[in-house]
Amino acid sequence: MLTTKDLFIFDVDDTLARSKCEMEDEMSEVFSRLLPHAHVAIISGGKWEILKKNVIERITEEGKSHMHKLHVLPTCGARYFKYEDNEWKEKHAYLIKEEDKSRIRELLLLASEGEYERKEVFGELVEDRKTMMSFSMFGQFAPIHIKEPADRDHSLRRKMIAKIAHLLPDYELRTGGATTIDVTQKGMDKGFGIRAISQALNIPFEKIIFIGDATHEGGNDYPAVALGLDVITVKNPQDTLKRINTWLLNKNS
């Protein structure tokens, strides 16, 4: 299946790297080796600055010569960056209305009250990413050893979303990363970003493969499933690494 694809789309947190962490050396090397062979996109709830640091700046010299084949979609596809004329150019950005941001922040904090214990908060609980409002259970800079065991099955965050989703009819609320709830404008999800890339590159869905960990209904990777793409669900970056290595071996055999 993988050898017939022209576009690989990856989730980032817990797919290419641990939540809000840089790609490790082996992943950086293998990810970079994909670029000469196909278009590659990353689509994440994370903001541009985080994706630039954790993925783009980790690409090897081999990969940098094919940077024009890399597409970066922060905030679940509400923004789209492409490398053109030796620089990153923003192709679209769908901003959340300023008057809605305080309401979203208030409701996210309300939904979390009494649902779990926070002994310490690391940075903002709700971050304004301009095209997304992002809630993180222990703050935006919580260490990985606190985040990873907190809500592995996403059930706690799904419960919080259920409390407030009906109060935000113009917005999508989805779980993402290790402890995050992503809030974007209605229809502004990873499916929107995937359609944008497909159209921009004139690559049909049957030539696209999506790789992510949160492909369950309500997860922020689920729109790829709903689009009918070929989807590979991974457990962690090590699982992703094996999948890419297998594809590269088959491609070169």
Side-chain angles (χ1 to χ4, degrees):
M1 178 173 68
L2 293 179
T3 54
T4 66
K5 303 304 179 183
D6 296 330
L7 171 60
F8 286 70
I9 303 178
F10 293 90
D11 169 50
V12 177
D13 285 358
D14 297 319
T15 297
L16 291 175
R18 295 170 77 186
S19 180
K20 290 188 180 176
C21 295
E22 295 179 356
M23 287 196 302
E24 295 186 358
D25 290 346
E26 189 175 4
M27 180 66 82
S28 297
E29 180 183 344
V30 171
F31 181 82
S32 299
R33 286 171 54 204
L34 265 182
L35 290 171
H37 300 289
H39 284 277
V40 178
I42 55 173
I43 185 166
S44 167
K47 59 186 180 181
W48 162 250
E49 293 80 5
I50 292 292
L51 299 185
K52 187 171 181 289
K53 175 179 179 289
N54 291 346
V55 178
I56 297 171
E57 292 178 359
R58 297 288 294 150
I59 290 174
T60 66
E61 290 303 316
E62 177 186 2
K64 286 178 181 176
S65 61
H66 299 276
M67 199 76 88
H68 63 284
K69 287 189 171 184
L70 180 62
H71 309 263
V72 182
L73 292 102
T75 55
C76 288
R79 300 180 79 184
Y80 175 20
F81 290 86
K82 191 173 185 302
Y83 196 72
E84 296 177 342
D85 302 322
N86 297 316
E87 64 178 350
W88 287 100
K89 295 183 179 180
E90 189 169 53
K91 310 303 285 187
H92 71 232
Y94 295 89
L95 304 177
I96 292 177
K97 296 176 182 177
E98 289 297 326
E99 58 265 32
D100 288 351
K101 290 179 180 179
S102 59
R103 171 73 169 159
I104 294 169
R105 184 187 304 274
E106 176 186 316
L107 287 172
L108 286 168
L109 294 175
L110 181 65
S112 70
E113 287 183 6
E115 293 297 342
Y116 64 98
E117 184 178 359
R118 281 194 295 260
K119 293 182 179 178
E120 188 174 356
V121 174
F122 304 84
E124 293 180 293
L125 288 173
V126 182
E127 182 178 46
D128 178 0
R129 297 180 180 173
K130 298 183 180 179
T131 51
M132 169 190 285
M133 297 296 286
S134 176
F135 170 83
S136 189
M137 289 169 57
F138 303 100
Q140 300 296 319
F141 304 110
I144 196 72
H145 71 273
I146 289 177
K147 295 194 297 184
E148 283 192 334
D151 189 31
R152 289 187 187 277
D153 64 358
H154 297 233
S155 60
L156 181 54
R157 282 170 289 162
R158 285 200 293 268
K159 182 181 178 183
M160 287 188 273
I161 288 172
K163 289 167 67 174
I164 62 171
H166 66 287
L167 299 173
L168 293 167
D170 295 329
Y171 289 87
E172 306 272 3
L173 289 81
R174 289 189 171 87
T175 63
T179 58
T180 298
I181 295 174
D182 297 326
V183 183
T184 58
Q185 296 174 68
K186 184 73 75 174
M188 201 62 56
D189 57 18
K190 291 189 178 183
F192 178 89
I194 291 166
R195 287 192 295 271
I197 300 173
S198 173
Q199 291 168 9
L201 299 177
N202 196 28
I203 295 177
F205 284 175
E206 58 266 27
K207 291 290 187 177
I208 299 174
I209 187 81
F210 181 90
I211 303 96
D213 69 305
T215 59
H216 56 275
E217 190 166 1
N220 70 4
D221 295 330
Y222 183 75
V225 178
L227 283 178
L229 297 185
D230 285 328
V231 171
I232 294 176
T233 302
V234 293
K235 297 177 181 178
N236 49 46
Q238 291 72 33
D239 194 5
T240 305
L241 192 65
K242 291 176 184 176
R243 305 280 186 157
I244 301 174
N245 270 322
T246 298
W247 184 86
L248 288 169
L249 282 172
N250 289 336
K251 187 71 175 177
N252 295 323
S253 62

